[in-house]
Amino acid sequence: MRNKYLAVPYVVWMAVFVVAPLVLVVVYAFTARDGGLTLSNFTSMHQYVGVFGNSFLLALIATAVCLAVGYPMAFLLAREGERIRQIAIMLIMLPMWMNFLLRTYAWMSLLEDTGLINRLLSLLHLPTLHMINTPGAVVLGMVYNFLPFMVLPIYSVMEKIDPKVIEAAQDLGADSVTVFRRIILPLSLPGVLSGITMVFIPSVSTFVITQLLGGSMTMLLGDLIQTQFMGTAYNPHLGSAIALVMMLLVLVCMAIMNRFGEGEEGAVML
Amino acid sequence: MSKELIRLTDCVMKFDDEVVLDHLNLYINDREFLTLLGPSGCGKTTTLRIIGGFQRPTSGDVFFDGVRINDVPPHKRKVNTVFQRYALFTHMNIFENVAFGLRIARTPESEIKRRVEEALALVNLPGYGKRSVNALSGGQQQRVAIARAIVNRPQVLLLDEPLGALDLKLRKDMQIELKKIQQQVGITFIYVTHDQEEALTMSDTVVVMNAGKIQQIGSPEDIYNEPKNAFVADFIGESNIIDGLMHEDFVVGMYGRKFPCLDQGFQPGEQVDVVIRPEDIDIVPVDQGQLTGTVTEVTFKGMHYDIIVDFRGFKWLIQTTDYSPVGERIGVKIDPDGFHIMHKSAYSGMFGDYSSYSAEYEELNEEAPEGDGDEK
């Protein structure tokens, strides 16, 4: 029975910091400034369809790029020797230990019109590029910041694939393409799914990256919600409603993905 | 005898500086059940992996049906493997596991269905196709692994300690079943094990290996009855190995006495190793014994007693159904066919003394499943 009491702090924690805020968000979303019940927060949301679309599109692109870069990286890494793996994993993790804001500021000074890259280009008498405050810069920021979250789960699943299973497939006549398609890819799917989840969710709700690298040109959901709480358009009721709708949309995305990976082992949901 | 199918000539395998196979020469006949038998790290798994194509010998050649196949990758060889821990595809059901090789060979769907079901029936798992691999017991997974390999109708099936993970009872059943399957499908089986009983039960030919070298090749009867050196005598069954002197043909001397035996062809006066199997020794009253000794240990084994008897400081193991209490003086009698005489070898003096009986027994019974040393 002691076990029961050990769980108390966690239950209290969850209640106070997870369940209660969620309830508050729901309450705010369905009420007006005067405290009366209303659906107007949701009905007025249609004006932000563009923001929703942009957010999901950019997050999707960032996730796709992360997958395209991260999967081969994880694949190659899983075949390396112990030493190289350790060093590579450390290099992948290293930026994560540096402050998130600082990392993004660094990109700012690289991408600016008078930034490092452009100065280098003009030094070489090449035409300069406008990079900062574009959707591309935002995607770059997302990819840079969230790539480890794609690589690491895929790597950890790939590393656990028994080399004997690969040998068994070769033994049964599979060449390297077939081994990858029929064995490695399906067995690494759980890692891919959790990698997608872990990149997509922070990407879709980020506001620091958009503010620093996207300027005022790219307004995403994170920025929209932020302005409802901190900015000039102060309206926590609308902000809560948007947050709620975003949460639902993300849940729908995850549900679709889970259906996609059905029958696979491993937790996909965060 | 049927024709030769696989030949390894002068194969050397080195990992870094460690020699795992030391100039191995071996040929394997078509439709033969051949077992590579030896302790962990003796090179038997490496030999199998060379035949399967997963390892390339450092030097030496591998021939299949007269063609050199050193450079042929595993997926192009006409052999299939049953792996030690089955290595089933956990993301596929049993049908798809078995069908894997056939699908790669682009076999028509109707034929795949028929052959997979045949293979599953052969390993006693008819109708299991839809089930998940994870829902099977170890013995059943083993059968799926066998079905997955033989469904491709390979000319050779390689089996790497396939029964190592099963419990004793199941292992014995599977031994008989494997032999049956081999006779039914009529192909060559190359079987790797450290379990001498398994080797003797199933094989046509046993290859005893140690330290990267072949110690003896022969039928199970030859290996047991006519071991070539002390290593083989000790590894296959229990043996008392005593220093002896060959006086002349059919007469061997031990403990300063002469004993009639059936062996010949040794130099008169040659120093030899004398092997006496524990079951070939009869206990008789002291005055009728060829030798007399003192019982120092008795262990009940179910079908018999293991009795350790001290003969002037050298301890023998005797297996008998007659109980003798510890401390009793007994006589023993050995028939001429109970002696087996071997030339002295590098292994002389290393085996066959039961002074450290209990320790050795434990080691024999609990020989670990193939460790890392053999799996490189």
Side-chain angles (χ1 to χ4, degrees):
Chain A
M1 281 295 99
R2 261 182 69 217
N3 292 345
K4 218 173 180 175
Y5 297 115
L6 281 175
V8 168
Y10 303 102
V11 171
V12 171
W13 174 276
M14 296 291 266
V16 173
F17 294 105
V18 178
V19 179
L22 206 62
V23 170
L24 271 181
V25 168
V26 173
V27 168
Y28 263 83
F30 284 97
T31 52
R33 270 175 218 262
D34 57 14
L37 271 177
T38 178
L39 287 175
S40 64
N41 294 323
F42 293 95
T43 50
S44 66
M45 217 178 286
H46 61 85
Q47 51 186 314
Y48 302 117
V49 166
V51 179
F52 270 95
N54 252 339
S55 290
F56 277 83
L57 182 68
L58 289 191
L60 216 62
I61 294 173
T63 308
V65 172
C66 279
L67 184 61
V69 174
Y71 192 89
M73 204 161 145
F75 177 77
L76 294 175
L77 206 57
R79 316 216 113 243
E80 287 299 339
E82 187 69 22
R83 255 191 85 74
I84 294 180
R85 280 198 227 179
Q86 276 173 359
I87 293 168
I89 292 289
M90 214 184 70
L91 287 177
I92 291 169
M93 304 262 285
L94 204 59
M96 290 166 70
W97 301 337
M98 184 61 67
N99 181 284
F100 180 79
L101 217 54
L102 199 67
R103 273 182 280 158
T104 313
Y105 269 121
W107 271 110
M108 235 168 114
S109 65
L110 280 173
L111 298 177
E112 268 169 351
D113 289 342
T114 55
L116 214 60
I117 294 174
N118 276 328
R119 265 187 284 164
L120 202 70
L121 285 174
S122 55
L123 214 67
L124 298 166
H125 301 289
L126 290 166
T128 58
L129 300 165
H130 176 65
M131 291 173 289
I132 197 83
N133 298 346
T134 60
V138 175
V139 170
L140 178 71
M142 289 174 178
V143 170
Y144 178 75
N145 280 307
F146 303 133
L147 184 61
F149 298 114
M150 183 65 84
V151 176
L152 295 178
I154 298 177
Y155 165 77
S156 72
V157 172
M158 283 214 185
E159 191 204 31
K160 288 196 188 74
I161 296 177
D162 183 357
K164 285 265 155 51
V165 170
I166 293 171
E167 284 188 357
Q170 291 173 337
D171 184 75
L172 294 165
D175 55 23
S176 48
V177 175
T178 313
V179 168
F180 179 77
R181 201 169 50 81
R182 301 261 343 247
I183 307 293
I184 296 174
L185 189 62
L187 284 177
S188 63
L189 215 53
V192 172
L193 293 184
S194 57
I196 290 177
T197 313
M198 287 170 76
V199 172
F200 185 74
I201 290 175
S203 293
V204 84
S205 58
T206 181
F207 62 94
V208 177
I209 295 173
T210 34
Q211 274 171 13
L212 295 183
L213 299 177
S216 52
M217 309 304 289
T218 339
M219 169 82 125
L220 295 191
L221 279 175
D223 311 283
L224 185 62
I225 294 169
Q226 199 219 5
T227 53
Q228 304 309 319
F229 287 91
M230 316 290 283
T232 45
Y234 183 76
N235 184 355
H237 299 278
L238 180 60
S240 299
I242 298 169
L244 209 59
V245 170
M246 189 181 97
M247 196 174 99
L248 281 175
L249 287 175
V250 169
L251 277 176
V252 169
C253 291
M254 293 305 119
I256 292 169
M257 267 195 6
N258 268 335
R259 179 60 46 87
F260 181 57
E262 211 160 73
E264 302 297 335
E265 282 172 77
V268 176
M269 294 294 287
L270 279 178
Chain B
M1 207 65 202
S2 49
K3 74 181 178 78
E4 172 188 315
L5 189 63
I6 295 172
R7 176 177 285 273
L8 304 178
T9 45
D10 213 24
C11 277
V12 176
M13 190 77 208
K14 285 185 193 168
F15 295 114
D16 299 323
D17 276 334
E18 195 194 338
V19 178
V20 180
L21 288 187
D22 191 357
H23 298 280
L24 190 92
N25 285 288
L26 176 66
Y27 69 89
I28 297 153
N29 284 323
D30 199 14
R31 299 175 176 233
E32 183 175 27
F33 196 127
L34 179 133
T35 300
L36 300 169
L37 173 67
S40 289
C42 72
K44 57 191 192 292
T45 297
T46 306
T47 308
L48 197 77
R49 288 174 62 79
I50 286 175
I51 298 170
F54 299 109
Q55 239 136 33
R56 201 182 284 220
T58 313
S59 71
D61 291 319
V62 189
F63 295 95
F64 188 94
D65 225 351
V67 182
R68 185 175 176 274
I69 56 163
N70 285 39
D71 305 316
V72 178
H75 69 269
K76 292 193 177 147
R77 295 197 182 191
K78 282 179 241 165
V79 300
N80 284 126
T81 308
V82 176
F83 289 85
Q84 199 168 11
R85 294 241 165 219
Y86 325 138
L88 295 177
F89 307 131
T90 48
H91 57 296
M92 301 176 188
N93 67 20
I94 290 165
F95 184 94
E96 285 306 316
N97 263 278
V98 179
F100 191 86
L102 296 175
R103 288 209 192 286
I104 285 168
R106 303 200 185 281
T107 315
E109 196 61 33
S110 58
E111 196 188 333
I112 290 182
K113 203 166 171 323
R114 187 174 54 77
R115 275 169 69 176
V116 169
E117 261 146 35
E118 265 174 32
L120 285 176
L122 185 70
V123 296
N124 248 330
L125 290 172
Y128 274 64
K130 287 257 165 57
R131 299 205 196 179
S132 149
V133 169
N134 302 312
L136 298 185
S137 69
Q140 289 170 327
Q141 291 194 25
Q142 181 53 64
R143 289 155 199 260
V144 174
I146 294 165
R148 183 178 69 175
I150 56 176
V151 76
N152 305 294
R153 299 182 182 153
Q155 265 182 288
V156 179
L157 189 67
L158 308 178
L159 302 106
D160 184 7
E161 304 234 12
L163 309 184
L166 305 181
D167 62 53
L168 186 66
K169 181 91 178 60
L170 198 53
R171 208 153 67 207
K172 297 208 165 179
D173 292 346
M174 283 298 293
Q175 286 171 14
I176 294 162
E177 211 158 320
L178 269 176
K179 184 76 192 163
K180 219 163 68 194
I181 290 171
Q182 191 252 346
Q183 283 159 354
Q184 267 179 45
V185 293
I187 60 173
T188 308
F189 273 37
I190 304 177
Y191 191 98
V192 160
T193 183
H194 65 260
D195 182 333
Q196 41 109 359
E197 193 213 315
E198 220 166 271
L200 298 180
T201 308
M202 295 188 286
S203 319
D204 300 319
T205 307
V206 179
V207 178
V208 185
M209 294 180 68
N210 188 43
K213 287 187 184 133
I214 293 176
Q215 303 297 327
Q216 187 169 359
I217 303 179
S219 68
E221 289 84 356
D222 285 349
I223 298 272
Y224 189 84
N225 293 329
E226 308 286 329
K228 267 202 182 130
N229 61 35
F231 176 82
V232 178
D234 182 74
F235 196 76
I236 314 293
E238 298 288 336
S239 300
N240 300 295
I241 305 172
I242 302 121
D243 284 332
L245 185 78
M246 208 63 187
H247 289 289
E248 57 192 272
D249 282 355
F250 313 117
V251 180
V252 64
M254 300 188 303
Y255 294 99
R257 286 197 47 169
K258 289 182 180 176
F259 296 85
C261 66
L262 302 180
D263 298 76
Q264 57 173 313
F266 292 83
Q267 299 292 325
E270 185 181 335
Q271 297 285 332
V272 291
D273 284 335
V274 182
V275 178
I276 305 165
R277 296 288 185 185
E279 69 272 19
D280 291 336
I281 302 166
D282 294 326
I283 294 180
V284 293
V286 173
D287 52 344
Q288 292 168 32
Q290 291 168 309
L291 288 169
T292 55
T294 312
V295 176
T296 63
E297 255 182 270
V298 181
T299 315
F300 179 60
K301 285 287 169 186
M303 276 180 57
H304 61 262
Y305 293 97
D306 273 3
I307 298 184
I308 301 294
V309 183
D310 188 335
F311 292 100
R312 299 189 221 162
F314 195 92
K315 293 193 176 172
W316 293 24
L317 171 67
I318 300 174
Q319 289 174 341
T320 170
T321 50
D322 302 322
Y323 178 74
S324 304
V326 171
E328 188 176 68
R329 276 196 77 72
I330 55 167
V332 294
K333 193 171 159 301
I334 304 146
D335 291 334
D337 64 1
F339 293 97
H340 170 67
I341 315 295
M342 305 181 303
H343 292 287
K344 286 279 178 189
S345 71
Y347 293 106
S348 297
M350 289 165 66
F351 302 104
D353 177 10
Y354 285 84
S355 300
S356 51
Y357 165 72
S358 40
E360 179 166 358
Y361 218 91
E362 216 161 279
E363 207 177 290
L364 282 166
N365 281 335
E366 292 177 20
E367 163 123 24
E370 211 61 347
D372 288 347
D374 216 30
E375 287 191 295
K376 286 176 197 161

